[in-house]
Structure formats: C-alpha cells, structure tokens
Amino acid sequence: MQAKETLFADLVQGRAQQFQVPLYQRTYSWTEKQLTQLWTDILEQAELLESGEKASTHFLGSVVLAPSPQNEATFPRWLVVDGQQRLTTLSLALAAIRDHIADAEPDEAERIDEEYLINKRRNGDDHFRLLPTQADRAQFAAYVRGPLSAQSAGGSVAAAYGFFRRKLVEAADPAAPQDVFRIEQAITARLTLVAVTAERGDNVHRIFESLNNTGLKLSQADLLRNYLFMRLPTRGEHVYETYWLPLQGSLSNDELEQLMWLQLVLDGDDRVRRQDLYAAQQQRFERGEVSEADIEAYIKELYRRSHLFRRLLHPEEEPDEAVRARLHRLDTWQAQVTYPALMLLLDRRERGELDSADTARAMSYVESFLVRRMMCRVPTNNLNRIFQAVPGQLPLDVPVAEGLHQLLSAENRFWPDDDELREKVRTAPFYKFGRGHQRKMVLQRLEESYEHPEPVDFAAAQLTVEHVMPQSPGDEWIRMLSKDVVDGESAEDLHSRLQHTLGNLTLTAVNSELSNHPFGRKQGLLEGSHLEMNRRIAATQRWGAQEILTRSDELADRAIALWPAPLRGVGRAERSRDWNLAHQVLAALPHGTWTSYGDLAAFIGSGAQAVGTHLANTPGVANAYRVLTSEGKVSASFRWTHQDAGGDVRDRLTADGVRFTASGAADPTQRLSADGLASLVGGGDDDRTDSQEKTAQCAPKSQEGETRADPFYLQLVAENAPGRRFFRQLAEDDSPETVVAVRALFARWEELGGGVYHPDSNKFTGASLTLDEAGIPDRVISPMGLTVGCGLGGTAYVSLQSLAVQEPFTDRVLRAEFLRRLNELEGVDLQEKWPGPDPSFPLSVLEKDRNRELLVETLTWFRDRWEGRDTD
C-alpha cells in the first residue's frame, strides 16, 4: 500500500482513466452544510492565490484507491474505497464552473471538461472520469455530459450542482467580484488530498474500516489541551487544579474550543479557522523558546476570558442592565458570528478602556449592522470575515466605540443607510428575509419603541408573526385591492408585491383566529390587543395598498431611530447586489420550472417592469429566458442579448423541461412563485410548527422547486405497480377506514366516466382523478389529486392554477363555486391563493359517509361543467 500527498488536478489529469465508486458505497449525501464549508475553504484559497501569499494549501482529506477488476493497461480503472463524497463534490463544482463560463469562454469550458470530467475519446460509461454508484450515475451523467432531463431534477447531486451555480453567480457580484478561474485553480491546485493506493491482494475493506472507525475523534480542544499539559512537566498539576478544572467545569468542550479560537482572533490572527485551531496555536508556541511560565500565562488568560465568554452564552450573568439587554437581543438573534467583536468590547471594558455605557453603545452598532443588513437582504456570506477581522483592524487613534462604528461603516461592509432602509421597508418582502426568530425580534423592538405604559411580557406571550392582509386573500380582499391597482397591475400582482412587506406584518397571539378573514372581522380582534401596533392598525377604516405603505413609512422612521446608521462618506453597498440576488436565484432554477416577472420582482422587492428592463439589457444572466409573463407566455418585448445563445425561446424552454398547455402557455404547475424562489437560495424560514413543516415538505409541490407530474403527462394505469404503491403507503399512514373510503371514491369516480391516473415515479406517490376527451393529451383535466406519505396522513389537493388555464374553469366564478362546494364537506376549508400552494384537505374526512356523498356530488357538478364547455 502506498500513500502520498496529491492535488485533485494531479489525481485526475493526464491520460484517460476512471475512478469507479463501488456498489456497496453509500449514495452521494453531502448537504448544504458540508458544501458551504467547502465553498468557504475554496474562496479562502482563491483569495490567497490572488494576494500572492505563500500560505499552506488546505487539506481536504484522504482518498483510498484500489485497482478495479476491470483495469486495463491502456485505460486504468480505480475503485474508490474512500473519498467518493469529496471527488463527486469537486467534479460537480468544476461542472458548474464549466457551465457558468460556457457562453463567454467556450474554449475554457471545453478545457475544464476534458481535463477533469471526461475521457474525450471514450464512449458509454467510460466517457466519465468519475463513475458514481449506480443510484447516482444517471443524474451525475446528466450534469457532466447533459443535456439535462426530467430524471436529473431533485436529489443530492442536483442540489450540489445548483449550490455551486448559485455561489458562482454570487461570487461574480460587481461590488466585490471574484475571478472564476482563481476559484477553479483553488479547487484543482490548492486542495490537497492524501491518496492511499492499495495493491492487488490488499484488504481494502480493512483499510476502509480503519479510516471510518466508530470511535469519537479528538476535538481541537482535546489536542490542544494534551499539547499544553505535555509542556508543563513541573507546573501541570497546579495549573490544572487552579485554572483548567474550573475552566472545563464552566464551559462545554465545544464552548472551550470556541474560546480557544476566539483567543487567537483577539490576539490578532484574523484568518485562522476553528478547525485549524490546534495547528495554529501550536505554531505560535513553537516560533521561539516557550517556557512553562508562558504556557501557564496562556491558560490563565484563557481562564480570565472564560468569564467574559460566558456572558455571551448566558447574558443574564452580565451585571450592567444596558449591556445585558443588548447581549440578550444578540443572543436571541443567534449572532455567534459577532463573538470576536463582542469579546473585544467586554475585554477592553475589563481593561478599563471603555465604560459600560460605551460598551452598550458599541453593541448597538453591532445589532444595527445585523438588523439593517437583514432588513435590506444583504447576503450574510461575508459576516464571519467581517467580524473576525475586527480585533486586528480596529482603529487605534479613536475610542473603541467610535472605532467600531467607523470600521463597520467602511467600504464593502454594506451597512445600509437610512435611505436604503426606508426604501426596503416599503418594497421588500421582509417576511422572506432572515429567520423566523429574527423577524419576530424586529417586530418586538418596533412594538417596544411605542413605550406603552403597560408593556407586553414578550418572554411569556406566545406571539407569532401575522399577515394583516392574508397570504390567501378571499374575494373581499381582492375586490378591495382592485381599487388600488395602477399601471395595469392586477389585484393579484399587488397582493403578491405587498403581502410580505413589513407594513403588512404584526405580532399576535391569535393568529389562527385572525386567519384569512376580511379586515372588518380582524379589526375587532386587533382592537382588543395589548400591542400598540395592533391598536393602530385596528383604528384604520380599511387595509389596502396606501394603508400598508403609510404604516411602512411609520415603521421605517422607528427602525431608523432604533438602529443607528453607518457613518456617512465611509462607504455603502451598491444597488447592484439586488440584481445579483436575482441572478443567483435564476441560476438555481430547477429543471422543469419557470417564473414570472412579477414573481421575481416580488422576490427582490422591485417592480415587474424594472425586472424586464434589467433582463433585457443585461447579457449573460443564466436562465433569463425562463422568466415569462404571469400568463406563462414569452413577453412580446423579450430579446436575446448579443452575448446570449439565442434561438427559439419555446424550444429552449421545452429542452429545460417546461411543458406547454393547449393554449400555448407554460404549465402553471411548474411556475415558481416569489416564495418558491426564496426557497432556492435558503430564504428565510417561517414560524411553522414541526408538524406543519413536515406537511409542507410532503404536500404536492406546484410551485416550489419539485414539479408535480400532472394529468397531461401521467401514464395511464389501472391497479398496476404505482397504484399498489399508492394504497400500500396510504395504509401505512391512514386508518383502514380512510383506505376503504378512498377506494370507494375511486369506484364512484369511474362510474361517472372518470379515470384514475398514477404517476410512475419513485419521487411522487399519488393519484389524480381525471377526465379526458378521446384520450387526447391536451384534452385532459383533473379536478383533484391525492398524495400519501410522510407519516402525516394522505391529502387531497386541487390544482387551481392548472384549472385556471383550461376551459371552462378559466372563469374565476366557476373555480370559486368549485371550492364553495368542496367547503361544504365537514372539516374542509379551501381558499384560492394566486400564486400559491394548492389548497388541500386530509383524506381522513372521507371516512364520513356524508362527506363522501357531498364530494361525489361536487365531482359530478365538475364533470357536467367540463362536458358542457364550449370546445370551438
């Protein structure tokens, strides 16, 4: 067995060869967490390349190879015993770079392909340098060779490829662009691997077991502790009992490791990563003669700072009220990224360089920096670097608080000023920014700013974020909004644009009671609230566009007063980052999806017309042609830019898996709404319970990433394998009574002349009730679909967006009547949301005979409307 250090380029470049992942290996399983860490390492190495620093490469891990039984002298084949996750990830990253530059640099894209991804003169499976296990092979091949197919959508391989496409667009931000070829070089020539090559006859499984044993690895803190006490032959016992034992008792091992890292950062090492803590500290000790007294002094200082660090972890231990309040808020925000700056402030206060009032003021700058950036949707990818650099970059010629204010206001820190904050409060979808607890904290601080004489106990109150104008508006809301529309904007577009803005959000403990009711009913509930902001909402006569914008302006004034602004003239973020966010989400559009100008505008807080103008005048935007009108049509003003590939737009969309209805519109079930777009770039989570979250994940996806197979394209089957799978899974999650009820429903539907279609797919287990005309694909309609799985019970859903493009249900009155009839079933309350998820109800309601009869009557009414439509 041979082992040597190598680079990815050295491993895979050269003559034609192949690395095969054996069948017994697990499938590709890296998640965004591992991908994000790798991307951070890659960018760090790319920056080192650009600066010319002679720093060490980054060690990525080991790769264990063994000769394949299929090995040939002219075509070496290797079994990947260990390291397939790393090799697959790096290959997908290079494929993403290739596709990112394909239009602008076709020769370079071809070079990347031939050097790292393919064996140019080989066919079949031999064409690929890396051959994943069979479960991943087809999808990996789709991204390496293309073209993409419907089978390539979804799964970990697709997610990893999409992650890198999105990050490459983010790295090309005009405000701080990064060279894509530096990134390529960092991947291929700065990430080191230890390649362990086994000979024939070596027990490769034993090697694998030794590398992946079940024992717990030593942490960085464990390694450093052992190193320190080996250097204390005479003072070790005293130091251990006096400092280390209390230190170890007050912090967990993970917290202790974090403190050790912070100590390095506070001492000026602004580039060290936590996973390199042991090597970095060891290197510092070995630069010169280090005595036992030096080691003891280090541990003593660690012990002193542990008391300060505990105040970040447990703000209640901070004695000063003002500082304690700010630490509590930062802890609620989960702002661990700011620890270097907070530790510096507490450390300087303990040294007497600033008092508690100045410490609290400096912390208010940190809080404002985070809050304003979140409210203006500034990406968080550089926060670690910003705060880690604070101890080393803090100006020395001004007081600490003023120095921090100046540092955070500097160029490329992107701390939004008052004008930008005011604009974003009016226009941006705040509900989709940040995380649920962060949005809640912003609203809580705004409520506190009213200084009500009887303030709410927020710690005890069970408050959630509520949309005053609901996310699923009824007819009364739509009629009211229709009076506010301008410039040809529809009421639905106006709702989509304003629903998630800060002016339409509040806090309440009666979210379920407020629900989707008209404003008149909500007024009474809000009027009785203890929150001042709710009483002010209740005092208005109506709740339309102007009222929401007026409240937005009021809240913007309060936000500006609460969270200090950056210093003027030091620098502010460029507006281009909003468009960069749009570019990122377009690059991440999954196969078989499209979006509209209005959806993209609502996602970034802009206008549909501005989005259209930007895309028309900006060359090189990935997937720009997949932005259509709200009706699913190519805009009459769409033009390819001179740098784009061109061609027939509909042909390109079809190749990307977008389907078209008989009217020539893109399939509305494949449309991604603003909410769906937010999910592609890790947009803010919401305040749903675990049960609600599982329901959302298991529900049929009409607009959020994974396209549901619909009746136009379902394979006609009776009780075949997919049908058996449907009832088997239904029986696993639902009662026998529900299973019997669903079977009875299917039988009654077939008596009415309908059909039951099951998608032949491992990704989707469900059924659709359908009606067709002589089997013609574009003359098929589905009143209802059913899904099972996820342990939460079966669900029935109505694809209103699909119905809305099929006669006679293009008539909104008929769709509303259909929902009204369904809502007569006990336990059913369906609302139309446009755009939005399909309304649904649990299949368990069909256990009641009366509900089942009402449903059959409703389906009969549906069939009669379909058969009586005008087909001319």
Side-chain angles (χ1 to χ4, degrees):
M1 184 173 65
Q2 300 176 359
K4 67 174 182 178
E5 184 171 302
T6 188
L7 301 169
F8 181 82
D10 294 335
L11 185 66
V12 302
Q13 272 183 319
R15 61 176 178 167
Q17 60 180 324
Q18 188 174 76
F19 300 89
Q20 303 172 338
V21 179
L23 293 178
Y24 59 77
Q25 289 275 30
R26 63 178 178 173
T27 57
Y28 181 72
S29 58
W30 271 26
T31 64
E32 183 135 342
K33 178 180 179 180
Q34 290 87 28
L35 295 172
T36 299
Q37 181 59 60
L38 174 62
W39 184 250
T40 301
D41 297 334
I42 290 170
L43 291 186
E44 181 179 90
Q45 291 298 322
E47 289 174 7
L48 291 175
L49 281 169
E50 188 171 7
S51 66
E53 292 183 31
K54 294 183 178 180
S56 61
T57 56
H58 174 71
F59 177 62
L60 193 59
S62 62
V63 176
V64 180
L65 307 173
S68 169
Q70 302 170 336
N71 200 13
E72 299 173 7
T74 58
F75 187 58
R77 293 182 176 93
W78 303 95
L79 293 179
V80 182
V81 180
D82 188 48
Q84 65 123 336
Q85 305 285 336
R86 302 180 186 96
L87 294 182
T88 304
T89 304
L90 296 180
S91 297
L92 290 170
L94 289 167
I97 292 175
R98 176 201 62 193
D99 296 342
H100 180 75
I101 65 173
D103 290 337
E105 301 277 357
D107 291 339
E108 290 297 317
E110 184 178 6
R111 174 187 60 79
I112 292 173
D113 212 21
E114 294 178 8
E115 287 185 359
Y116 307 114
L117 301 174
I118 66 169
N119 297 306
K120 185 177 181 179
R121 303 187 186 282
R122 294 276 176 166
N123 300 316
D125 286 345
D126 289 348
H127 185 67
F128 303 99
R129 290 282 172 97
L130 176 67
L131 194 64
T133 189
Q134 285 185 338
D136 294 324
R137 194 167 297 170
Q139 190 172 72
F140 181 85
Y143 285 99
V144 171
R145 180 159 57 185
L148 298 184
S149 63
Q151 287 73 30
S152 66
S156 298
V157 169
Y161 174 85
F163 172 88
F164 289 118
R165 284 301 302 269
R166 172 163 48 92
K167 288 299 182 181
L168 286 166
V169 174
E170 181 180 306
D173 185 350
Q178 292 165 304
D179 187 343
V180 66
F181 294 105
R182 295 278 190 201
I183 294 174
E184 178 210 345
Q185 188 179 358
I187 292 172
T188 58
R190 298 289 300 180
L191 303 180
T192 58
L193 300 160
V194 170
V196 180
T197 307
E199 301 291 342
R200 289 193 182 276
D202 286 342
N203 189 332
V204 294
H205 293 284
R206 184 66 57 82
I207 299 169
F208 182 80
E209 290 170 2
S210 67
L211 291 169
N212 295 274
N213 61 72
T214 57
L216 292 175
K217 293 182 179 180
L218 291 175
S219 69
Q220 294 285 299
D222 293 329
L223 293 169
L224 186 52
R225 179 199 62 213
N226 294 348
Y227 174 83
L228 293 172
F229 281 97
M230 282 191 297
R231 303 290 295 270
L232 290 171
T234 63
R235 299 283 295 168
E237 187 172 342
H238 168 75
V239 171
Y240 185 84
E241 291 181 355
T242 306
Y243 304 117
W244 193 269
L245 201 55
L247 176 64
Q248 196 168 260
S250 66
L251 299 174
S252 69
N253 197 65
D254 183 69
E255 293 165 351
L256 178 56
E257 182 177 297
Q258 193 171 15
L259 176 61
M260 290 173 162
W261 171 77
L262 284 168
Q263 182 138 313
L264 272 173
V265 174
L266 291 173
D267 290 344
D269 193 339
D270 65 350
R271 301 193 70 86
V272 65
R273 299 174 307 162
R274 184 169 165 182
Q275 59 264 42
D276 298 330
L277 160 67
Y278 169 61
Q281 188 61 63
Q282 183 185 36
Q283 188 177 37
R284 287 170 70 96
F285 281 136
E286 294 180 354
R287 284 175 184 165
E289 292 294 327
V290 179
S291 65
E292 284 193 68
D294 295 325
I295 299 292
E296 181 176 351
Y298 167 80
I299 296 176
K300 185 177 180 180
E301 182 69 355
L302 201 65
Y303 171 73
R304 180 186 73 82
R305 283 173 166 161
S306 69
H307 299 291
L308 306 179
F309 184 52
R310 277 190 58 87
R311 296 176 190 178
L312 306 187
L313 305 173
H314 309 284
E316 64 276 7
E317 296 181 7
E318 165 59 41
D320 183 81
E321 182 179 1
V323 174
R324 183 169 64 250
R326 282 157 179 77
L327 288 176
H328 265 299
R329 284 200 293 272
L330 289 167
D331 183 60
T332 300
W333 193 269
Q334 296 181 11
Q336 289 87 348
V337 70
T338 67
Y339 280 0
L342 300 182
M343 279 291 291
L344 178 139
L345 293 173
L346 294 178
D347 196 47
R348 296 291 181 90
R349 182 182 65 168
E350 188 164 269
R351 296 175 186 271
E353 296 183 31
L354 72 168
D355 59 19
S356 290
D358 286 336
T359 302
R361 179 162 57 89
M363 288 181 177
S364 74
Y365 299 141
V366 174
E367 179 184 328
S368 173
F369 185 79
L370 295 176
V371 173
R372 284 184 176 231
R373 282 171 59 105
M374 185 275 273
M375 294 178 72
C376 295
R377 201 183 236 174
V378 180
T380 60
N381 55 297
N382 61 344
L383 283 178
N384 275 305
R385 187 174 299 280
I386 288 174
F387 284 104
Q388 193 170 335
V390 165
Q393 296 181 357
L394 195 69
L396 301 176
D397 55 348
V398 294
V400 174
E402 284 71 18
L404 183 61
H405 195 186
Q406 178 181 321
L407 181 61
L408 293 179
S409 301
E411 191 69 36
N412 294 327
R413 291 301 187 269
F414 305 134
W415 185 358
D417 62 14
D418 292 347
D419 291 339
E420 184 173 2
L421 181 62
R422 192 181 303 280
E423 179 195 353
K424 289 297 186 183
V425 170
R426 283 178 64 90
T427 63
F430 173 79
Y431 188 69
K432 292 300 174 181
F433 294 2
R435 297 185 176 276
H437 61 273
Q438 295 170 344
R439 298 191 293 270
K440 185 176 176 181
M441 196 197 92
V442 168
L443 285 164
Q444 177 180 325
R445 289 282 286 133
L446 290 169
E447 167 64 25
E448 290 171 339
S449 72
Y450 289 101
E451 297 182 346
H452 196 278
E454 297 180 6
V456 172
D457 182 358
F458 287 98
Q462 300 295 314
L463 300 177
T464 59
V465 178
E466 161 74 5
H467 291 72
V468 183
M469 176 177 66
Q471 298 185 69
S472 301
D475 290 341
E476 186 171 329
W477 282 102
I478 295 298
R479 284 194 298 270
M480 182 194 65
L481 287 175
S482 298
K483 300 175 183 178
D484 296 342
V485 299
V486 294
D487 298 331
E489 187 178 38
S490 69
E492 289 80 6
D493 288 339
L494 183 60
H495 170 264
S496 180
R497 179 162 60 84
L498 293 178
Q499 63 170 325
H500 295 318
T501 57
L502 185 60
N504 188 48
L505 301 175
T506 189
L507 292 174
T508 177
V510 290
N511 196 303
S512 60
E513 295 176 42
L514 293 170
S515 186
N516 300 325
H517 296 306
F519 182 62
R521 182 169 178 183
K522 287 192 171 189
Q523 273 182 305
L525 293 170
L526 293 173
E527 191 175 21
S529 170
H530 291 292
L531 273 65
E532 182 64 25
M533 65 169 64
N534 289 342
R535 295 177 181 178
R536 292 181 177 231
I537 294 171
T540 61
Q541 296 303 309
R542 66 192 296 273
W543 197 251
Q546 188 54 54
E547 289 74 22
I548 292 173
L549 292 174
T550 298
R551 182 168 179 263
S552 295
D553 292 338
E554 177 192 345
L555 295 181
D557 289 338
R558 293 184 173 276
I560 288 169
L562 282 172
W563 291 292
L567 296 173
R568 291 185 177 274
V570 183
R572 58 167 295 215
E574 295 184 15
R575 301 287 304 162
S576 62
R577 68 169 174 268
D578 286 339
W579 294 122
N580 187 255
L581 185 64
H583 299 174
Q584 289 178 43
V585 77
L586 288 179
L589 281 179
H591 184 78
T593 60
W594 62 277
T595 191
S596 74
Y597 294 100
D599 293 327
L600 187 57
F603 167 67
I604 64 172
S606 181
Q609 186 174 1
V611 167
T613 301
H614 174 79
L615 295 181
N617 296 298
T618 307
V621 178
N623 294 324
Y625 59 89
R626 285 162 72 178
V627 183
L628 308 175
T629 67
S630 58
E631 293 80 23
K633 301 291 184 68
V634 179
S635 171
S637 60
F638 177 83
R639 298 290 184 276
W640 293 105
T641 60
H642 69 280
Q643 292 185 19
D644 291 327
D648 183 79
V649 178
R650 182 158 171 171
D651 288 346
R652 292 285 297 274
L653 290 167
T654 301
D656 285 345
V658 177
R659 303 187 295 268
F660 289 88
T661 65
S663 64
D667 188 341
T669 67
Q670 296 180 305
R671 174 179 171 182
L672 287 185
S673 66
D675 293 354
L677 294 175
S679 69
L680 296 180
V681 291
D685 55 358
D686 54 32
D687 299 317
R688 293 178 291 193
T689 64
D690 290 342
S691 176
Q692 290 169 323
E693 184 65 33
K694 289 179 181 178
T695 302
Q697 292 170 358
C698 299
K701 305 276 181 31
S702 64
Q703 298 188 49
E704 299 185 17
E706 184 176 330
T707 306
R708 185 185 66 245
D710 68 33
F712 299 153
Y713 301 91
L714 293 179
Q715 191 174 9
L716 176 60
V717 291
E719 191 69 349
N720 63 358
R724 289 196 298 273
R725 184 168 64 244
F726 171 84
F727 278 106
R728 183 175 66 250
Q729 292 191 18
L730 182 65
E732 291 174 357
D733 289 338
D734 284 273
S735 67
E737 291 77 14
T738 297
V739 176
V740 170
V742 172
R743 287 188 180 275
L745 173 65
F746 285 1
R748 293 290 300 277
W749 176 243
E750 290 173 345
E751 290 174 5
L752 293 173
V756 179
Y757 292 78
H758 296 277
D760 191 6
S761 168
N762 291 327
K763 294 181 180 178
F764 176 78
T765 302
S768 288
L769 306 184
T770 63
L771 291 165
D772 64 73
E773 183 176 316
I776 302 174
D778 62 358
R779 296 290 178 86
V780 179
I781 195 168
S782 173
M784 182 177 298
L786 298 85
T787 62
V788 297
C790 292
L792 296 173
T795 301
Y797 63 88
V798 179
S799 183
L800 289 172
Q801 296 182 45
S802 181
L803 292 179
V805 296
Q806 294 179 277
E807 295 292 348
F809 296 98
T810 53
D811 184 347
R812 180 170 182 164
V813 174
L814 281 181
R815 298 199 304 274
E817 174 63 14
F818 185 36
L819 290 188
R820 187 196 67 76
R821 289 172 175 267
L822 290 172
N823 287 337
E824 290 183 357
L825 276 68
E826 183 181 344
V828 175
D829 182 16
L830 307 181
Q831 303 292 328
E832 179 171 5
K833 179 183 177 183
W834 186 278
D838 296 330
S840 61
F841 61 87
L843 290 177
S844 57
V845 304
L846 300 181
E847 292 179 12
K848 295 185 177 182
D849 294 340
R850 177 57 180 161
N851 277 347
R852 202 159 56 252
E853 288 303 317
L854 285 172
L855 180 55
V856 171
E857 291 175 11
T858 299
L859 292 174
T860 303
W861 173 89
F862 184 96
R863 181 204 61 184
D864 293 343
R865 304 281 94 55
W866 162 254
E867 293 180 347
R869 72 195 186 285
D870 184 358
T871 58
D872 292 339

